[in-house]
Amino acid sequence: MTAELVRGQNHPLSQVRLEVRISAGAPIVAGATIGDEQGKVHGVEWVAHPGAPTLPGLEVSKQAAADHRLAVDLGAMPDSVHRISVLLALPSGVGGPARFGAVAAPFVAVTGLDGAEVASYTITGLEAESAVVALELYRRQDTWKVRAIGQGYSGGLAELLTDQGLPEARRLADTINEAVSQAHSRSVAPPPPRTPDSDRTRRTASPAPAPYAAQGPQDTPPPGTPEQAGSVVQGGPASPQPSSPYGVEGPQNTPAQAGQPDASPQAGHAGGATQAAGPLNYSHPGRRTAAPSPAPPTAPPPVQPGQPSRPVAGDATGWSMDERLYNQVWGMFEDLARTAAAYRSAVDFADSRLEQEIDRALADPRNRLGGQGDGAREAARAKHAQLVDQARAALDRDLAQLTAEAEVVEPALPLAYARWDSPVWRGYRVPMEMPMALRLGDLRLPESVDLSIPMLVRLPLERGLWIDSGESPDGSLVDSDELRRLAMDTAVMHAARLLAVHPAGEFAVHVIDPAGAGAQALAPLVGTGVLAGPPAAGAAGVTDVLGRLTQRVDLVQMAVRAGAADSLPPDLDTAQQLLIVNDFPHGFDDRAVTQLRYLADEGPAVGVHLMMVADREDAAAYGPLLDPLWRSLLRLTPVPDDHLADPWVGHAWTYEPSVVPQGSQVLQQVLSQVAAARRSWNR
């Protein structure tokens, strides 16, 4: 039975491996400090936060989110640790609320790995506070308890950490905020929330618990290890559990990533347990046959009993086939992220167990000489290899199923989601309505080099794009001049795709190229006449284009705020606007830089979007002044680079831009049709 705590109340904890689940009405930062018997935090290394998310027996989320799950292993805590304080704070610099009084009351629950709540606490009474100590887990006479705290701080993280006794509190608070801002700027935005019956009901793998830095011999290993095989749920009727990536059913199979929605069947995922090592089922038992969405284009042949259903393109919920394919692609994205997290968690556990078993063998003086020590080490290594092989086998099985689905889905994608080499472009016609999303490239993980996930972003764009023409931090073999050329080519392909997926007259592209450095790359756009005007050159051209677009943003904002959209000037172009800026900051004075920042911040809300082609080092003279600009843009690269993160687990994904095949005329043909439709519309 769950203990619903009030401020100051405590409750004993009977388990050592726990999750602290946090829900709030807006993205928040979750962290934790560990303290000694007097509660003193001895240094920054005693704080788990997004910039340093793991400590022995403790793991927090790497980014701000509305929901978090903190993994805690009390058995792995050093003997000197007697208190774990869970901290919540509103992130700064990412455009969210500045005080907890403006969001829903945060809810914190301590649960077992099966998701069963041990104790919960709703933090009420917060107003001007922007940071709060939610609760603490503390050790008293070798017994762990949880206490509801709810102590808020209007001075934010810095004040909270100072109260914890940290002399470097201000510096650490700045470090945490910077880590959150960087994670926000590189994270692929998740799709809008869906209702439970519109959720993707198939999972190739359920998320695994977060890895623990240390495990004792008495601790229960995470799902996927042989010791967990055959475990059963005791104490009540069995409830269906998500399928485990390691073929093990039981309450231990819970999501690891902090901040993600519940993966239970009640949350909209596939209900019903599968057999321990059986194949995963692609069927959707929860889908309503009367849904007002079209059927998949082809029906799969009958499936033999005992075999998994064959993947089908569009086998997800939605009001249209495009929406169903969009949801299916995002489901594949999440599945791959979580199955890779499960694999990495199992390997981390195997590595940790190997170290502990070898340490225990060497700790006994009798094992240091003779064959007993060698035998113990060999047994530990054999166990390690067995665990890793089992985890790899489960990963390979899940990858094979995702690959089979990708092979079916990719050919069925509409042109807004399709690669440039897709046959769908051969029959291109200017669309009558804007699609719900656009493909910007592909994403891969090191564990799945042969499987790529289309990177789809919603339209209209919610943030600008930055095509980084600078050298990669890990050292690229491409020289700087070639990188700049490739960056401009990538920008042109993205602009062409945006033009191609919008109806005639509903999307316009402007270009600022002060020195004319991008003339060769811009030739397809200029030659076909799809631009709103010639590329602006020199300082005068920069001033003119920025002035017109800034005025447009001002006029639309005033009309919207006044509720008088019909009062806009008749000559105002109401189409979505895209500004491509090449070779920044060449040709920009201080006023132009300010206007550019204004467009990046305010433009997307009123249909003015920014695409920067720039090397950040070229603008280093501006110092931190431009940091908000770079953070507000989604960074893309002209060559493969692992700088993007998923919104569930935070893996580093390798991004590959979508490019036109060598020698293909598809770009020219598509732009020619766009230009013809544009001329007809302007008559």
Side-chain angles (χ1 to χ4, degrees), residues 354-369:
L354 174 64
E355 294 177 2
Q356 293 168 30
E357 291 187 353
I358 291 178
D359 288 344
R360 285 198 299 271
L362 296 178
D364 189 345
R366 295 171 297 180
N367 292 338
R368 295 176 185 172
L369 299 175

Side-chain angles (χ1 to χ4, degrees), residues 360-590:
R360 285 198 299 271
L362 296 178
D364 189 345
R366 295 171 297 180
N367 292 338
R368 295 176 185 172
L369 299 175
Q372 287 186 336
D374 294 337
R377 283 190 290 269
E378 288 302 319
R381 294 189 182 100
K383 188 67 172 179
H384 174 271
Q386 179 186 1
L387 294 175
V388 172
D389 290 345
Q390 181 178 353
R392 185 71 218 188
L395 175 67
D396 290 342
R397 182 192 66 224
D398 293 340
L399 291 181
Q401 293 178 348
L402 279 171
T403 301
E405 186 173 12
E407 290 172 350
V408 172
V409 170
E410 185 67 49
L413 295 177
L415 61 88
Y417 306 170
R419 289 195 293 250
W420 282 110
D421 59 358
S422 172
V424 72
W425 288 101
R426 298 175 187 171
Y428 172 75
R429 293 292 182 271
V430 176
M432 300 299 294
E433 60 182 13
M434 181 183 70
M436 68 180 299
L438 184 83
R439 185 174 189 157
L440 293 180
D442 295 274
L443 298 170
R444 301 178 189 270
L445 284 177
E447 292 87 352
S448 59
V449 293
D450 296 328
L451 174 62
S452 63
I453 303 295
M455 179 181 171
L456 304 181
V457 297
R458 290 296 293 263
L459 291 179
L461 296 173
E462 296 178 354
R463 59 194 295 198
L465 305 177
W466 167 28
I467 317 299
D468 191 354
S469 60
E471 295 184 5
S472 175
D474 55 0
S476 174
L477 298 179
V478 184
D479 63 49
S480 58
D481 291 338
E482 180 68 6
L483 275 174
R484 292 176 186 272
R485 184 190 67 79
L486 291 174
M488 198 60 198
D489 287 343
T490 302
V492 168
M493 292 178 195
H494 289 321
R497 185 181 286 264
L498 282 163
L499 283 165
V501 302
H502 282 82
E506 293 191 13
F507 198 83
V509 178
H510 309 263
V511 176
I512 290 178
D513 188 20
Q520 182 179 356
L522 290 168
L525 300 178
V526 176
T528 54
V530 295
L531 295 179
V542 172
T543 301
D544 177 60
V545 173
L546 290 177
R548 285 189 284 111
L549 291 178
T550 301
Q551 183 184 39
R552 183 190 185 280
V553 172
D554 290 339
L555 289 173
V556 175
Q557 280 187 338
M558 287 189 292
V560 170
R561 290 168 183 167
D566 55 349
S567 65
L568 289 170
D571 60 342
L572 182 75
D573 185 4
T574 57
Q576 298 276 318
Q577 309 287 314
L578 174 69
L579 173 60
I580 302 176
V581 178
N582 184 39
D583 210 14
F584 177 80
H586 182 74
F588 282 72
D589 56 19
D590 290 346

Side-chain angles (χ1 to χ4, degrees), residues 43-222:
V44 295
E45 66 277 3
W46 285 45
V47 183
H49 58 83
T54 57
L55 292 175
L58 181 63
E59 183 173 21
V60 303
S61 176
K62 298 178 182 178
Q63 54 195 27
D67 299 283
H68 289 270
R69 290 189 181 184
L70 280 59
V72 180
D73 185 0
L74 300 175
M77 287 292 165
D79 293 338
S80 58
V81 174
H82 287 258
R83 183 176 301 176
I84 304 167
S85 299
V86 177
L87 322 176
L88 309 180
L90 293 169
S92 61
V94 296
R99 59 187 185 88
F100 274 110
V103 302
F107 174 79
V108 186
V110 179
T111 75
L113 295 186
D114 58 353
E117 289 187 3
V118 178
S120 65
Y121 173 42
T122 301
I123 310 174
T124 58
L126 299 177
E127 289 295 338
E129 296 87 348
S130 58
V132 60
V133 178
L135 51 78
E136 66 179 11
L137 311 179
Y138 63 99
R139 185 177 359 215
R140 187 67 50 84
Q141 297 178 351
D142 295 330
T143 299
W144 283 93
K145 297 183 179 182
V146 56
R147 177 187 289 124
I149 302 297
Q151 177 63 52
Y153 297 85
S154 58
L157 269 176
E159 183 181 356
L160 185 154
L161 294 171
T162 300
D163 195 42
Q164 294 267 320
L166 274 173
E168 312 95 332
R170 172 62 63 181
R171 188 187 313 165
L172 179 57
D174 293 341
T175 300
I176 295 173
N177 288 325
E178 178 64 22
V180 172
S181 297
Q182 291 179 359
H184 174 78
S185 65
R186 74 187 189 95
S187 177
V188 180
R194 287 169 281 174
T195 58
D197 61 8
S198 68
D199 199 3
R200 176 177 167 88
T201 56
R202 195 270 300 162
R203 287 288 180 269
T204 59
S206 67
Y212 292 91
Q215 298 285 343
Q218 76 282 3
D219 291 333
T220 305

